[in-house]
């Protein structure tokens, strides 16, 4: 039985701008006592600072070879700290090579989001190429089989863009440390991730947030599932494909992926409301749908997380009772570890503070 503890979590408040500027900013007025709420989650895992630093160092050296080592990008990696995230989410893995491969995947998937999807300095706001670019990004990990002439054109396109090269090389690293079945899982999860990116872009083009049910269904695809599904790869074993694809294990993987990704929604909420015109996170979606102030919506989003994690407890107990193979219990324990690491990583990473 996994121990869930009550983690006190600061609640962001939305305040009218001072100096008469219209609109609101997600900030708690200085000097006021910030409200807190509770996130039910397993305890924080141990820190492994030296291993995390080595993973980050290897990732940044790899980025230099791709031409992705601009000062802005390197600073972004240190703020995001994928090395620390991997060590926290895979507490049982001792293999720095395997953990670095997983860290490269996180950096590559985040680069696809940052360069092809997010509204930021890297992308023109009127860029309508998200769909075609995501299709290319998927082909970088799931190569087409064309005629020799067209294959050569595709190769040149793939090798000519640093983000496509990053995703291709990170996935090649992953294939080196995993079985074809484990690699195919991640191809599927990343294709779903890109569906999620595309849906978010569709709402952005309509300039409206979806209802909470639809946001959550999409966030389950636009999620850390490609990372949670690496728990056996990083621990050096393989849950047999027929057990991994069993509906009870698939349900556990889907719910755990959503829970872990809601940690991002909650931790990045205030920054996204400040930085993005239309913030895509669960508190903002609930605030819009239920016409609530941000703090009340944030508390409701935490209640959604807590309900999901209680259900996940039942999911994992049901799956281990029905599927007594020790590999199933080991894999589900890995999903719990990812949830524990994700909460701690997200609420202590510099990426979401300030
Ligand atoms: C690394 C990976 C597989 C991420 C998948 C899901 C995803 C794109 C995120 C969790 C990032 O969410 P978001 O778009 O809110 O970005 P921030 O990290 O909050 O800036
Ligand atoms: Mg976010």
């Amino acid at each position: 039985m996994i121990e869930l503890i009550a983690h006190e979590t600061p609640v962001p408040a939305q305040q009218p701008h001072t100096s008469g500027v219209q609109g609101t900013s997600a900030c708690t007025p200085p000097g006021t006592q910030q409200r807190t709420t509770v996130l039910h989650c397993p305890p924080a895992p141990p820190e492994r600072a030296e291993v995390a630093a080595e993973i980050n160092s290897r990732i940044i050296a790899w980025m230099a070879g791709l031409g992705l080592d601009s000062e802005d990008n390197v600073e972004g990696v240190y703020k995001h700290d994928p090395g620390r995230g991997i060590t926290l989410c895979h507490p049982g893995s001792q293999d720095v090579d395997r953990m670095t491969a997983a860290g490269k995947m996180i950096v590559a998937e985040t680069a696809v989001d940052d360069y092809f999807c997010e509204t930021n300095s890297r992308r023109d706001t009127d860029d309508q190429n998200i769909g075609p670019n995501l299709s290319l990004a998927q082909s970088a990990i799931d190569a087409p089989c064309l005629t020799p002439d067209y294959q050569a054109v595709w190769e040149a396109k793939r090798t000519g863009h640093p983000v496509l090269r990053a995703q291709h090389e990170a996935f090649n690293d992953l294939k080196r440390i995993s079985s074809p079945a484990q690699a195919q899982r991640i191809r599927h999860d990343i294709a779903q991730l890109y569906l999620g990116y595309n849906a978010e872009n569709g709402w952005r083009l309509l300039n409206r947030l979806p209802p909470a049910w639809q946001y959550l269904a999409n966030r389950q695809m636009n999620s850390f599932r490609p990372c949670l599904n690496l728990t056996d790869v990083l621990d050096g074993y393989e849950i047999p494909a027929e057990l991994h694809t069993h509906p009870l294990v698939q349900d556990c993987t889907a719910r755990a992926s959503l829970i872990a990704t809601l940690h991002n929604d909650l931790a990045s909420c205030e920054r996204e409301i400040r930085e993005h015109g239309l913030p895509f996170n669960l508190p903002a979606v609930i605030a819009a749908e239920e016409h609530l102030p941000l703090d009340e919506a944030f508390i409701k989003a935490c209640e959604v997380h807590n309900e999901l994690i209680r259900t996940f407890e039942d999911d994992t107990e049901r799956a281990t009772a029905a599927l007594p193979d020790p590999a199933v219990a080991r894999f589900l324990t890995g999903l719990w570890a990812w949830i524990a690491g994700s909460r701690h990583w997200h609420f202590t990473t510099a990426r979401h503070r300030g």
Side-chain angles (χ1 to χ4, degrees):
M1 180 65 175
I2 295 287
E3 178 202 15
L4 293 184
I5 62 174
H7 295 273
E8 282 301 313
T9 304
V11 177
Q14 205 151 5
Q15 302 301 320
H17 274 302
T18 53
S19 70
V21 173
Q22 288 308 310
T24 61
S25 64
C27 64
T28 303
T32 56
Q33 177 58 37
Q34 189 159 10
R35 290 174 74 178
T36 62
T37 188
V38 162
L39 269 187
H40 294 293
C41 222
E47 298 280 356
R48 291 191 280 167
E50 286 181 21
V51 178
E54 174 60 22
I55 294 168
N56 285 337
S57 166
R58 294 186 188 188
I59 287 172
I60 286 165
W62 169 66
M63 288 169 67
L66 292 164
L68 282 176
D69 58 330
S70 67
E71 191 176 330
D72 188 36
N73 281 350
V74 171
E75 182 193 351
V77 168
Y78 280 120
K79 285 184 80 172
H80 197 194
D81 207 342
R84 179 165 175 261
I86 291 293
T87 53
L88 292 173
C89 294
H90 298 277
S93 180
Q94 303 303 323
D95 186 323
V96 178
D97 180 44
R98 286 174 180 263
M99 288 191 275
T100 302
K104 287 179 181 177
M105 286 296 294
I106 285 185
V107 168
E109 289 147 12
T110 304
V112 170
D113 192 27
D114 287 347
Y115 276 77
F116 291 162
C117 305
E118 292 289 359
T119 47
N120 56 34
S121 59
R122 297 185 183 91
R123 197 173 74 84
D124 297 333
T125 46
D126 61 357
D127 167 12
Q128 298 305 317
N129 290 313
I130 285 187
N133 282 339
L134 289 177
S135 167
L136 263 178
Q138 184 65 18
S139 77
I141 65 168
D142 198 352
C145 300
L146 310 177
T147 59
D149 291 350
Y150 287 130
Q151 195 79 19
V153 175
W154 170 79
E155 282 279 352
K157 181 72 178 176
R158 178 180 59 71
T159 53
H161 193 295
V163 171
L164 299 178
R165 276 207 316 278
Q167 191 64 79
H168 180 73
E169 288 188 15
F171 196 75
N172 279 351
D173 245 16
L174 186 66
K175 286 192 293 187
R176 181 173 52 79
I177 62 169
S178 55
S179 72
Q182 289 171 317
Q184 189 57 29
R185 263 184 228 169
I186 305 307
R187 276 197 190 92
H188 165 270
D189 292 345
I190 291 178
Q192 282 206 317
L193 177 66
Y194 294 165
L195 267 178
Y197 288 177
N198 239 340
E200 199 169 284
N201 179 57
W203 289 315
R204 197 173 274 121
L205 290 175
L206 294 170
N207 194 33
R208 69 173 171 81
L209 291 172
W213 70 267
Q214 196 172 12
Y215 173 81
L216 287 168
N218 188 63
R219 200 50 163 159
Q220 193 158 294
M221 294 193 284
N222 178 1
S223 76
F224 285 115
R225 189 167 177 153
C227 308
L228 282 87
N229 251 333
L230 290 176
T231 185
D232 56 343
V233 174
L234 267 66
D235 284 359
Y237 74 98
E238 178 170 5
I239 179 175
E242 67 274 12
L243 288 173
H244 182 265
T245 53
H246 189 286
L248 289 176
V249 176
Q250 286 295 299
D251 287 352
C252 289
T253 307
R255 205 180 312 268
S257 301
L258 178 58
I259 292 166
T261 309
L262 288 184
H263 299 147
N264 178 287
D265 280 31
L266 297 168
S268 63
C269 168
E270 192 164 356
R271 171 179 61 77
E272 288 171 346
I273 290 176
R274 268 203 311 273
E275 288 178 1
H276 298 176
L278 200 60
F280 279 86
N281 58 62
L282 187 57
V285 164
I286 290 175
E289 183 175 37
E290 300 188 24
H291 309 295
L292 291 174
L294 180 67
D295 51 355
E296 295 302 329
F298 185 93
I299 291 168
K300 290 197 86 168
C302 289
E303 289 164 359
V304 170
H305 167 281
N306 294 339
E307 186 176 348
L308 285 168
I309 207 163
R310 294 287 184 207
T311 308
F312 183 61
E313 280 186 300
D314 299 338
D315 290 341
T316 50
E317 284 176 16
R318 187 178 313 113
T320 43
L323 304 167
D325 188 308
V328 172
R330 191 174 181 190
F331 187 83
L332 300 182
T333 301
L335 297 183
W336 273 114
W338 223 96
I339 288 172
S342 170
R343 187 211 61 84
H344 186 55
W345 176 36
H346 275 97
F347 281 92
T348 55
T349 176
R351 179 183 175 94
H352 305 305
R353 279 202 306 267

